[in-house]
Amino acid sequence: TDNGNEATKETGIPVTEETPVSEQDPETITVSAAASLTEAFTDMEPKFEAENPGVDVNFNFGGSGNLRKQIEGGAPADVFASADESQMDILANETLIDNSSRKDFVKNSLVLIIPANSNLNITGVKDLTDPKVKKIGIGNPDTVPVGNYTRTAMTEAGLWSQLENKVVLAEDVKQVLVYVERGEVDAGFVYMTDAMTAPETIKIVTNVSVNTPVNYPIAIVSSSEHKEDAQEFIDFVAGKEGQETLEKYGFTVLSE
Amino acid sequence: MTPMLDQIWFPISITFRIAAISSFLVLCSGVFLAYIFARRDFRGKELAELLITLPLILPPTVIGYFLVILLGKNGFIGQLIYSITGTGIMFTWQAGVIAAYTVSLPLMVRTAQAAIEAVDKELEYAAYILGKSEIETAFLITLPLAKRGILAGLVLSFARAVGEFGATLMLSGNIPGKTNTMSISIYSAFQAGNNELANVLVLVLTLMSLISIALTGKIASRGKSKV
Amino acid sequence: MTPMLDQIWFPISITFRIAAISSFLVLCSGVFLAYIFARRDFRGKELAELLITLPLILPPTVIGYFLVILLGKNGFIGQLIYSITGTGIMFTWQAGVIAAYTVSLPLMVRTAQAAIEAVDKELEYAAYILGKSEIETAFLITLPLAKRGILAGLVLSFARAVGEFGATLMLSGNIPGKTNTMSISIYSAFQAGNNELANVLVLVLTLMSLISIALTGKIASRGKSKV
Amino acid sequence: MSIKVNIRKCYHEAGSSKKSGAKKAFMLNVSFEMENELIVLFGPSGSGKTTLFKCISGITEPDDGNITVDSKVYYDKKIKTNLPIQKRNLGYVFQSSTLFPHMDVRKNIECGLKNWNKESREKRLMEMLSLLHIEELEKRHPSQLSGGQKQRVALARALAPEPELLLLDEPFSALDKEIKTELIEKIKNLQHELKIPLLFITHNLEEVFMLADRVLVLHGGKVQQFGTLDEIFYHPKNLHVAKLIGLSNLFDDARVVGHDEISRSTILMSGDMKIRVPSLKLNPGDMVSWGVHPENITFLPPGHEDQDKNIYMAHVVSIINKGPKKKITVNLARHHKTLTAEVPAQFVDSLKLNAGDSCLVKLEISKIVTF
Amino acid sequence: MSIKVNIRKCYHEAGSSKKSGAKKAFMLNVSFEMENELIVLFGPSGSGKTTLFKCISGITEPDDGNITVDSKVYYDKKIKTNLPIQKRNLGYVFQSSTLFPHMDVRKNIECGLKNWNKESREKRLMEMLSLLHIEELEKRHPSQLSGGQKQRVALARALAPEPELLLLDEPFSALDKEIKTELIEKIKNLQHELKIPLLFITHNLEEVFMLADRVLVLHGGKVQQFGTLDEIFYHPKNLHVAKLIGLSNLFDDARVVGHDEISRSTILMSGDMKIRVPSLKLNPGDMVSWGVHPENITFLPPGHEDQDKNIYMAHVVSIINKGPKKKITVNLARHHKTLTAEVPAQFVDSLKLNAGDSCLVKLEISKIVTF
Ligand SMILES: Nc1ncnc2c1ncn2[C@@H]1O[C@H](COP(=O)(O)OP(=O)(O)OP(=O)(O)O)[C@@H](O)[C@H]1O
Ligand SMILES: Nc1ncnc2c1ncn2[C@@H]1O[C@H](COP(=O)(O)OP(=O)(O)OP(=O)(O)O)[C@@H](O)[C@H]1O
Ligand SMILES: [Mg+2]
Ligand SMILES: [Mg+2]
């Protein structure tokens, strides 16, 4: 590849023992992944690279929407791991992903959280209708996947119309988390994975069931020049080691 | 009003209300600070100058986070506000003013300070000799002569306040019909893939901002040519 | 290096590289534009002045998006770049420079313009009479006398470049070890709930920025007292 | 080199919009020619001297007319030429010495020497520093200089590049007499050596005397007179000029009554005072103004009035010491006229004149100025 | 009112750091007292006149000493007092007229009148405008004024609030003679009427003559002499003062040879030239400098030299016209001395002197200045 040529030209010395076992310099693949995957994927990186000596993974973390827009704009990503089916759907429609490679690889769960020191007696979603509950933090259903799931869940539970005027919309999950942590809202909806990052300041009240599961899809980007390596990565994530790591960070592993 | 108009009108009015109030506050306090920095020497002045610049350096969300900690229900100042008013300031448009103020203050201070430092001290002495106190002199001589710089600072602050997004979002949330500024609305529409709305909003925001900036410039530069 | 140190060191170096390069570019082009705006009259000048201010008004993400459209592989300029270099510019730290440049340019232009306008024209005439061309005069007289304003603009631009986040995230992505600036790292750490790391990063960023701003000020204001 | 100037420039009153027939604040309308000589521009405050300099230098564009220096067209309305300032290659000392505040004295002076090689630049700098006695100020910034020092640096800066044309706008106004006298000498020599046209603005009559080859008298934006020192001093064309040259004993009430061919004089009646003046080409009955410089009034010991010799009885009203001179105000009581004389102190002492005394006053015919 | 000034102020050379024993650039060390009178500060460029004004006005803080105006302590190092500028209630015209560029003439002048009621403010403004002949400039901004007009506005601004003390730093340097003469009269009257102390800086001897009650001569930051006009002019204390007052015929080679009790004169030998001067309290053999003002040299028709009457043979070297005066340079050939005289033109004419002629030159004993 270009990189390889350049490197040899510059150094002019043959590959030394310290370089990876493969005779060539590693291929670099870029994985655009939802921000909520940051820690899990970062954790996986050395393991994957150890297993695939010819591949060097770069991650690009961000909101799924932003990542999608980047890919639309021609960003050189090889793999897209979204926290949201709809973003993946959009790319699929535009044939910007390799549809055959698309698969759901992990699941998240929606939870209701309250401040750790809350003195409101909230034990379930129904309690949110209590007039003492003044503000509820949720992600913006139009822009944030978790918000969308929240609205769906609440609508399914027949509560949405009663809660609608209590909600404070946040543009990302962290914002909901901060609001709850600081007691600015009486309750909030976040992913389990997010809730697990603040164990001391919030209390997880309950898992909220959603009919449409919170699936994380992954796929190869159509314009990728390293499709094989990209597939390797997807396989790794969906494989045993990948799934274990994901589980460690609060994700729900897809049952086969 | 059609829903579309409504979606545009409210964010506009709240945005310009926030920007106007915050710019006014920035003008008053920023020029004051700039004057002090330009004309006084005190221990820790350099540090103070630098700290004022901080909100530019940190990502707005982080500033928003700090503001939440400070102004939220359990925050140091927030508690105070709560104990006085009985309601918090979070999730109100006033919180948006605070956010906008915080991020645009450094623009005014730095710009105005440079302009004030460039004012010829002899002219100030001339005013002192005519019996003018330092405050009178500042208003009569120094600030009018630093007008261009202050005006530039005002334009920058206003624009920044209009464009403020990260900190505002943290502090005032996005409560449609209550706190959704243009920036937040644009962001939302943009994220939701509602490109049509996003584009309209961008256009309207741009036009309105340009008009208000141009007007400010016109008003403030009357008689400029004579100086 | 411990992982923590590594997590800090790379963002720092990339952030300051981006901020330094972008500030340098802003300095060159911003001062040039400011000079033109201050000393020339042409049709549409007011509009141009206002358009330069635009990046302040729009949410950075939106600017980032426009930049992606412009600079991405399929974008107008992006295609050009691609056809020349064979690689795109997105997801590189160079894209971060572009993003930082875009958002901090207005700060320099406005501030420097005000300072240049305040320079006594008689002094420029005096230089012309000594045979200096307009360019020589600008470098010898006008810009040195507008130094305070330009310096203020530079500090603001630098700080803004360091703090730039929204547009950068869009354009150069958040690729650990490749494009994750301090702002992005802080944001990521913050998002990931890694408060410890976020706090350390904020602290380091603040300190380093303050030091570099203070240094810039010191260097540029040598001999200031004599003016 | 020769310079031809023929321009008009109008300033409008502030606040009056141009459309609605702006009120004219000031109108410069000047036309003159000069060679390689030293012309002093002389005129009251606000008469347009600085404006003329600004037009010649290119800082201000005239409304109409043309300016030519040798064959170089500086400005010509007709052919729409306005030569850039830089190309005019002139030296200009502004009325308020506009030194570059951020440069020390050396840098200020070197500013016009960029095309010189290092050695000759250094040499020239040293020449200038010593010419103007500012050697010790080389490293100072303008804010650290006194008013007169600033003026000398400005002069050094203007002279250093050896310009083709020099415009000096009151360059000595803040200098003490000793250094001024020396510099005047030097400037005069310089102009001779370089053979360049030099225009010099001053309000100081002494400077006019010492410097001028010719004097251009401006008043209200118009050239009142353009001539040699003698012409200006003994044949002022009108009241404006007369006043400007300090002719303080001025009377406009004289009528020609006859001519005296023998003494080549004309006889006037100024009120009821008979006075002889140098021969005039006027007819009896014509009105004329006359005046006499305070220095040209002499005092005689008491005796008889002799109006045919311009000798008049007078009462001393006051005697004021003016250093080596005394200013004596006398009343020609019989003619209701007051004259002011300036006389070297020792004359007054030797005549033992005191306020209240009577005396004779003589107005030398040849020194009487008419216009 | 009485003013006591006794201060020291040092400027250090730029670049020399204070720690490592900064090089002194200039040291002002002045001490004097004055009453309600008009004192002219006179001294060469860079002698510290402006610095003294800045210290009195409070713009610059002296290093040491004290300044008291009446019982008001402006500054006292010992009791650590430095009265704020505003409380000093003085009028100050800066050397470079610092008008407020963003205000028109009216606003500039009104600036010091804020405590006046509207009516009297309006009246005062009109008074000032007409006093200085700037009525028509009321609405102009400083950038639209000529140099002399600016100066007058600055003067109007300083006078308007009726200050208790006036500091005028070359306020007339850009004015023409006519208006200057008028304003000098006005300023002098004003000072009499208001009975305030007035300090006036000028380089112009004429202004000194017309204005000064007393003259404070500064040189190199030190008071050289402080006295009346006559004292300064006929009894300069040293060479600096002598030069400043324009005493251009200066000789430092004289030795006392004796005294003449009858004519109350002292006899000197200046080189081989014998000269009588007003009686001196010196012993034979003492060295003394002498000089004579150019105006105090008289010319006699050819005849015999009489050194006992200070009459000497001379050759005319040159005669230069200076308007109503002539500048005659003569050579006392036998004594290797050159003298310069300034004589009203008609004297020269009546003597029919020409360059190259021989003549007699008389130096009136009483007008010879020694020091
Ligand atoms: N920009 C302007 N607008 C209106 N009037 C002006 C402007 N500039 C100058 N003038 C007027 O033009 C006249 C001539 O000004 P100029 O500066 O040429 O006078 P000057 O002869 O140099 O006087 P001085 O001896 O006082 O310096 C003055 O009456 C002045 O008020
Ligand atoms: N800031 C300064 N640093 C160093 N030297 C200074 C400073 N200001 C003034 N001086 C020097 O002090 C001396 C006195 O200056 P001052 O302005 O009092 O002179 P002046 O008597 O008013 O002269 P002029 O008649 O030329 O205005 C000058 O030699 C000047 O160079
Ligand atoms: Mg002038
Ligand atoms: Mg001075």
Side-chain angles (χ1 to χ4, degrees), chain D residues 140 144 146-149, chain E residues 11 26 45-51 95 203:
Chain D
R140 296 261 190 97
Q144 299 168 314
S146 81
Q149 288 166 344
Chain E
Y11 285 126
F26 177 78
S45 175
S47 57
K49 306 179 292 297
T50 302
T51 306
Q95 190 161 10
H203 284 299

Side-chain angles (χ1 to χ4, degrees), chain A residues 38-232:
Chain A
T38 306
E39 307 222 296
F41 273 18
T42 311
D43 204 349
M44 273 182 228
E45 180 177 354
K47 295 176 204 155
F48 172 75
E49 284 176 1
E51 264 179 41
N52 299 275
V55 189
D56 176 17
V57 190
N58 274 343
F59 292 114
N60 173 38
F61 296 114
S64 304
N66 280 347
L67 298 177
R68 185 257 298 168
K69 286 205 173 68
Q70 286 175 337
I71 291 168
E72 285 173 341
D78 298 293
V79 177
F80 178 37
S82 171
D84 182 12
E85 301 271 11
S86 63
Q87 301 297 340
M88 195 60 95
D89 292 344
I90 294 172
L91 289 183
N93 279 341
E94 295 167 341
T95 67
L96 287 172
I97 53 160
D98 203 337
N99 229 350
S100 62
S101 67
R102 174 172 173 172
K103 66 158 73 155
D104 294 336
F105 68 98
V106 81
K107 220 165 61 169
N108 214 335
S109 49
L110 188 65
V111 294
L112 174 64
I113 56 170
I114 56 171
N117 57 1
S118 171
N119 48 17
L120 296 173
N121 192 16
I122 298 174
T123 53
V125 182
K126 293 239 160 51
D127 295 333
L128 296 179
T129 55
D130 188 321
K132 283 203 198 118
V133 176
K134 297 267 167 25
K135 288 200 171 71
I136 304 163
I138 70 168
N140 187 343
D142 295 331
T143 57
V144 189
V146 67
N148 194 9
Y149 287 121
T150 307
R151 184 170 60 186
T152 314
M154 290 302 100
T155 312
E156 282 167 356
L159 293 172
W160 181 246
S161 56
Q162 295 166 67
L163 299 182
E164 204 173 1
N165 54 8
K166 291 185 180 182
V167 302
V168 171
L169 302 187
E171 291 301 335
D172 57 47
V173 180
K174 177 65 180 181
Q175 214 179 328
V176 179
L177 211 54
V178 169
Y179 289 160
V180 177
E181 281 186 288
R182 304 290 311 170
E184 303 301 338
V185 295
D186 304 312
F189 290 91
V190 297
Y191 287 139
M192 174 62 93
T193 51
D194 301 306
M196 282 178 68
T197 63
E200 285 128 34
T201 45
I202 59 153
K203 235 165 42 194
I204 300 174
V205 177
T206 174
N207 250 323
V208 181
S209 64
V210 195
N211 282 352
T212 34
V214 187
N215 285 338
Y216 279 47
I218 193 165
I220 298 175
V221 177
S222 302
S223 62
S224 169
E225 290 170 6
H226 312 285
K227 292 217 168 98
E228 281 170 28
D229 297 323
Q231 190 60 51
E232 290 285 342

Side-chain angles (χ1 to χ4, degrees), chain B residues 44-148:
Chain B
K45 175 172 134 178
E46 295 206 340
L47 193 67
E49 278 177 41
L50 291 172
L51 286 180
I52 288 249
T53 320
L54 211 52
L56 270 178
I57 297 167
L58 298 177
T61 332
V62 174
I63 296 168
Y65 179 66
F66 285 137
L67 287 177
V68 168
I69 291 182
L70 212 60
L71 297 168
K73 227 184 232 162
N74 306 313
F76 178 62
I77 299 173
Q79 278 182 339
L80 207 77
I81 296 177
Y82 197 83
S83 70
I84 294 169
T85 63
T87 73
I89 193 163
M90 289 281 301
F91 308 133
T92 62
W93 66 267
Q94 286 89 341
V97 172
I98 295 179
Y101 174 85
T102 310
V103 295
S104 56
L105 183 67
L107 302 179
M108 175 56 99
V109 174
R110 286 278 174 177
T111 312
Q113 182 180 348
I116 291 172
E117 278 171 359
V119 170
D120 186 359
K121 274 214 178 118
E122 284 247 312
L123 293 175
E124 293 180 358
Y125 289 135
Y128 292 166
I129 281 175
L130 291 167
K132 300 286 175 200
S133 68
E134 181 170 359
I135 293 182
E136 286 170 317
T137 304
F139 279 100
L140 215 59
I141 311 294
T142 320
L143 301 185
L145 289 174
K147 198 176 71 180
R148 284 197 187 85

Side-chain angles (χ1 to χ4, degrees), chain C residues 115-196:
Chain C
I116 291 171
E117 279 171 357
V119 170
D120 187 358
K121 273 211 178 118
E122 285 249 310
L123 293 175
E124 293 180 0
Y125 289 135
Y128 292 166
I129 282 176
L130 291 167
K132 299 287 173 200
S133 67
E134 182 171 355
I135 292 183
E136 287 170 316
T137 304
F139 279 100
L140 214 61
I141 311 293
T142 318
L143 300 185
L145 288 175
K147 200 175 69 179
R148 283 197 188 84
I150 294 172
L151 194 63
L154 189 63
V155 166
L156 292 177
S157 306
F158 183 81
R160 184 76 184 78
V162 167
E164 169 43 29
F165 159 68
T168 310
L169 191 62
M170 227 28 215
L171 202 59
S172 67
N174 172 13
I175 304 179
K178 215 173 142 204
T179 63
N180 60 325
T181 64
M182 284 300 270
S183 286
I184 290 174
S185 301
I186 291 173
Y187 180 78
S188 297
F190 176 67
Q191 290 288 349
N194 192 344
N195 283 343
E196 192 201 353

Side-chain angles (χ1 to χ4, degrees), chain B residues 120 122-134 136-137 139-142 144-145 223 225-227, chain E residues 54 57 59 85-86 90-92 94 96 98-103 108 111-112 114 141 143-144 157-158 161:
Chain B
D120 186 359
E122 284 247 312
L123 293 175
E124 293 180 358
Y125 289 135
Y128 292 166
I129 281 175
L130 291 167
K132 300 286 175 200
S133 68
E134 181 170 359
E136 286 170 317
T137 304
F139 279 100
L140 215 59
I141 311 294
T142 320
L145 289 174
S225 60
K226 282 167 203 159
V227 178
Chain E
K54 286 199 174 151
S57 65
I59 292 174
I85 304 178
Q86 292 90 346
L90 42 78
Y92 187 169
F94 290 75
S96 55
T98 44
L99 298 179
F100 304 128
H102 57 305
M103 297 182 184
N108 260 285
C111 200
K114 74 160 175 166
H141 276 71
S143 64
Q144 300 168 314
R157 190 178 69 179

Side-chain angles (χ1 to χ4, degrees), chain D residues 281-299:
Chain D
K281 289 197 180 90
L282 288 175
N283 295 322
D286 287 352
M287 294 299 290
V288 66
S289 295
W290 67 276
V292 61
H293 285 284
E295 285 91 346
N296 285 333
I297 297 178
T298 40
F299 289 82

Side-chain angles (χ1 to χ4, degrees), chain E residues 199-270:
Chain E
L199 281 157
F200 191 104
I201 297 179
T202 181
H203 284 299
N204 187 302
L205 271 174
E206 286 219 33
E207 291 176 24
V208 181
F209 301 144
M210 289 197 260
L211 277 166
D213 291 327
R214 287 195 288 168
V215 181
L216 183 82
V217 182
L218 268 184
H219 189 283
K222 293 206 184 63
V223 177
Q224 305 292 330
Q225 192 167 359
F226 184 28
T228 62
L229 276 174
D230 265 1
E231 282 165 12
I232 301 285
F233 268 86
Y234 292 106
H235 306 286
K237 277 215 181 127
N238 58 36
L239 199 72
H240 295 312
V241 183
K243 276 191 178 156
L244 270 171
I245 56 170
L247 203 61
S248 49
N249 304 299
L250 276 175
F251 304 96
D252 59 0
D253 61 350
R255 186 183 303 276
V256 175
V257 293
H259 297 283
D260 181 347
E261 298 301 328
I262 302 158
S263 66
R264 294 243 186 107
S265 62
T266 296
I267 301 155
L268 311 179
M269 284 303 294
S270 183

